[in-house]
Amino acid sequence: MVNFIRFYNRRNPKTVPEIAGVRNPVTDDGMCVIKCTEAVFKWRTMYAVFVPSDVDFYMNDISCLMKCIEEEKLTWYSGYPYEIIKMLDSPDLHRYDISSLRAVVVTGQSVSTNNLNRICDQFPDTMIAYGSTEVQGTMTSNLYSTLDQRRNSVGYPLPHMELKIVGKYGETLPVNQTGEVCVRGWASFLCYFNDPKTTAAVKGHSNWIHMGDVGVMDKTGHVQLLGRMAECVTFKHMGEKVFPQLILDTARSHPKVETAVVIGIPDDRLGDDVCLFVEKKHSTILTEEELECYFQSKLMFLQCPLYYTVLEKLPRVGARGKVHLAKLKEMATKRIATDNKEEQWNR
């Protein structure tokens, strides 16, 4: 942790006074520790403020966060993107003075290009963090990146960290080729506690951590993420393979969509059935037919999902409120089975 904070300070060498808002330790265990440790290193210029526990993973009222920013004059907020998007969409935004906030952290979820641009335009020092618990939270930097690189990549590796893109058989791929992101270095975890089997699956014999993310690296070392390996789906027609980001960006560009998830259900006959789940915005009416027509107007047929499901709320699990993918797969499997029965009956 100490090494991480040293490099973190090198990446963000701010000397101006900073008031950093961090999630209450009741609702977050990662960024809270990192920011508090950073505040110790920057004790002359930085204060760490715990935001109220009302700002939790299931909050419906974003005003508690805006009120905290206004009262504490926060200059930095280490929360999650969905909070920032909800704040920018709030009809009450004009009631609060959040002008002191110049930076937020974009981490923990994928964000559409449109929303990322909105966040960066509002908060110019915004940082896109890429990493996981296994590598101390984040492992890339954008200190020397251009504005375009900051908005279209997760940056380049931190000092003394290695990052590579590998192919299907673990071979290192050249720049501009798509594969799985792997990292190793001082920030790497040693092992999963009492679980050597899982440790070996993630680290192998070379200590390269397989992140499970699909990405591509350019000649400057900047990495663009395209999706999760588990989310890579094959369309049923002509064996076309695409990554989910195109579908997610299209779904999130719909004015009535809050967020979206895409999954693939294996089909031995035709390939994976592509299923899109969206959480509609509060107080809006959105039908599956409307969503399907929207996709058909934006994408080619082979790029469109096969099934569309509109939900009031996506199912979530755990303290961090992550989307319950297993539940979504169960829902998709049941729907596909029902449709197949109806098709056989019609025949």
Side-chain angles (χ1 to χ4, degrees):
M1 181 64 72
V2 171
N3 281 335
F4 176 79
I5 298 301
R6 288 181 188 274
F7 284 118
Y8 197 88
N9 288 344
R10 284 173 57 178
R11 180 184 57 186
N12 292 287
K14 301 292 184 183
T15 56
V16 296
E18 186 171 44
I19 304 174
V22 296
R23 272 184 161 274
N24 195 291
V26 172
T27 57
D28 187 82
D29 59 351
M31 192 60 72
C32 170
V33 176
I34 291 173
K35 273 296 177 183
C36 287
T37 309
E38 185 182 5
V40 173
F41 274 87
K42 294 182 175 180
W43 63 274
R44 292 182 179 87
T45 59
M46 178 178 174
Y47 301 89
V49 176
F50 292 133
V51 300
S53 56
D54 291 341
V55 183
D56 59 31
F57 290 97
Y58 305 99
M59 65 177 179
N60 294 317
D61 183 10
I62 195 66
S63 62
C64 54
L65 176 58
M66 295 188 289
K67 182 179 179 181
C68 179
I69 295 172
E70 180 182 66
E71 292 181 346
E72 301 293 341
K73 299 292 186 288
L74 299 183
T75 62
W76 178 285
Y77 178 58
S78 300
Y80 291 90
Y82 74 88
E83 299 172 321
I84 309 305
I85 295 170
K86 183 177 288 189
M87 184 168 64
L88 295 179
D89 288 338
S90 174
D92 296 327
L93 180 61
H94 68 282
R95 295 176 52 193
Y96 299 88
D97 180 7
I98 64 168
S99 59
S100 62
L101 191 65
R102 67 169 190 272
V104 297
V105 178
V106 177
T107 186
Q109 72 181 81
S110 60
V111 178
S112 68
T113 302
N114 178 58
N115 278 328
L116 181 59
N117 286 333
R118 291 175 63 200
I119 294 172
C120 292
D121 288 341
Q122 182 76 29
F123 312 110
D125 289 340
T126 288
M127 183 189 77
I128 300 175
Y130 173 57
S132 67
T133 305
E134 288 83 353
V135 286
Q136 285 285 1
T138 184
M139 60 196 183
T140 57
S141 172
N142 58 14
L143 178 60
Y144 299 110
S145 303
T146 65
L147 179 61
D148 183 65
Q149 288 171 330
R150 291 186 181 190
R151 297 194 181 194
N152 294 285
S153 77
V154 293
Y156 52 87
L158 281 171
H160 309 295
M161 285 291 291
E162 296 177 280
L163 189 151
K164 66 178 180 179
I165 308 295
V166 302
K168 183 178 180 180
Y169 303 103
E171 72 279 15
T172 302
L173 298 177
V175 296
N176 298 322
Q177 287 198 20
T178 301
E180 183 183 8
V181 179
C182 293
V183 297
R184 72 178 178 184
W186 55 266
S188 303
F189 79 125
L190 296 178
C191 64
Y192 293 112
F193 185 63
N194 287 339
D195 195 350
K197 184 176 180 181
T198 304
T199 302
V202 173
K203 297 183 70 173
H205 301 291
S206 60
N207 281 332
W208 281 99
I209 299 175
H210 290 253
M211 298 297 293
D213 293 306
V214 178
V216 59
M217 181 189 294
D218 66 18
K219 62 182 181 181
T220 68
H222 284 77
V223 176
Q224 180 185 11
L225 298 183
L226 303 176
R228 293 287 295 170
M229 294 288 291
E231 296 171 340
C232 178
V233 295
T234 303
F235 285 90
K236 58 180 292 186
H237 293 288
M238 300 173 63
E240 288 291 326
K241 181 160 65 173
V242 299
F243 299 104
Q245 199 60 49
L246 178 64
I247 297 176
L248 294 176
D249 283 347
T250 303
R252 291 166 181 163
S253 69
H254 193 289
K256 296 181 182 179
V257 171
E258 182 72 31
T259 188
V261 176
V262 62
I263 61 175
I265 302 298
D267 185 332
D268 291 336
R269 301 170 303 160
L270 302 171
D272 291 344
D273 289 330
V274 182
C275 305
L276 173 67
F277 292 85
V278 303
E279 179 180 307
K280 71 182 187 67
K281 290 185 177 179
H282 182 64
S283 299
T284 61
I285 298 175
L286 177 63
T287 65
E288 295 174 5
E289 291 76 16
E290 179 183 349
L291 190 61
E292 183 174 4
C293 289
Y294 183 77
F295 265 82
Q296 291 174 352
S297 69
K298 296 288 185 179
L299 303 178
M300 294 186 296
F301 174 70
L302 291 176
Q303 297 172 321
C304 293
L306 189 61
Y307 293 93
Y308 301 82
T309 301
V310 178
L311 301 173
E312 292 287 340
K313 293 288 184 181
L314 287 170
R316 298 184 180 272
V317 65
R320 291 179 177 271
K322 292 187 176 181
V323 175
H324 199 327
L325 292 179
K327 183 65 175 179
L328 292 181
K329 290 182 179 180
E330 179 184 337
M331 294 167 60
T333 301
K334 288 182 179 179
R335 176 171 178 179
I336 293 171
T338 301
D339 285 0
N340 288 340
K341 286 183 180 179
E342 291 179 356
E343 181 181 349
Q344 292 175 358
W345 177 259
N346 291 334
R347 288 179 182 175

